[in-house]
Amino acid sequence: QVQLVESGGGLVQAGESLRLSCAASGRTFIESVMAWFRQAPGKEREFVAGINGKNNTFLTESMKGRFSISRDSAKNTVYLQANSLKPEDAAVYSCATASRFADFVSPHAVAYDYWGQGTQVTVSS
């Protein structure tokens, strides 16, 4: 079974940056699709970025420019670089994996079968 643990969240001022980490264990990690989602209080969980087994990355138009995703296979870790943070970026950020797929990255949470506990990002204006 895949285990995911996020870290790197915290309190930052608007305009500052954070790098979030998702440490994974499990034999299927290297070839699995991984993604970051976020959820603010009272809001629906939304897709931030995804990466497939070939390290192709996928982001929605609203996330491009300030967010990027990368993978360090040797460390079994996926990163989310979040730059120029705004108050509206405040949320719990969670990583997830679709363990059955190596190439297709879905922006829908229902496609993912393993989730971490999340790391909180707070942005002060």
Side-chain angles (χ1 to χ4, degrees):
Q1 185 176 0
V2 176
Q3 305 287 330
L4 305 174
V5 180
E6 303 95 335
S7 62
L11 173 63
V12 298
Q13 291 280 94
E16 295 181 343
S17 300
L18 285 173
R19 188 181 72 166
L20 308 182
S21 298
C22 175
S25 60
R27 66 181 185 87
T28 65
F29 172 72
I30 293 176
E31 297 183 349
S32 295
V33 169
M34 300 290 296
W36 286 93
F37 289 79
R38 69 183 185 184
Q39 187 167 28
K43 302 294 183 180
E44 184 177 279
R45 179 180 287 122
E46 65 176 336
F47 177 82
V48 179
I51 186 167
N52 68 10
K54 299 178 181 179
N55 284 338
N56 301 127
T57 61
F58 302 86
L59 296 90
T60 63
E61 289 298 321
S62 63
M63 299 297 174
K64 291 180 180 178
R66 298 191 299 114
F67 294 86
S68 62
I69 186 171
S70 62
R71 171 188 259 130
D72 186 335
S73 295
K75 297 181 179 180
N76 283 341
T77 301
V78 172
Y79 303 97
L80 180 70
Q81 182 68 41
N83 297 325
S84 300
L85 286 164
K86 304 174 181 179
E88 53 263 42
D89 294 320
V92 173
Y93 285 71
S94 301
C95 65
T97 182
S99 60
R100 302 178 305 280
F101 307 116
D103 53 357
F104 178 69
V105 175
S106 174
H108 305 296
V110 294
Y112 298 85
D113 48 5
Y114 294 97
W115 293 79
Q117 294 294 317
T119 185
Q120 183 175 324
V121 172
T122 304
V123 185
S124 173
S125 61

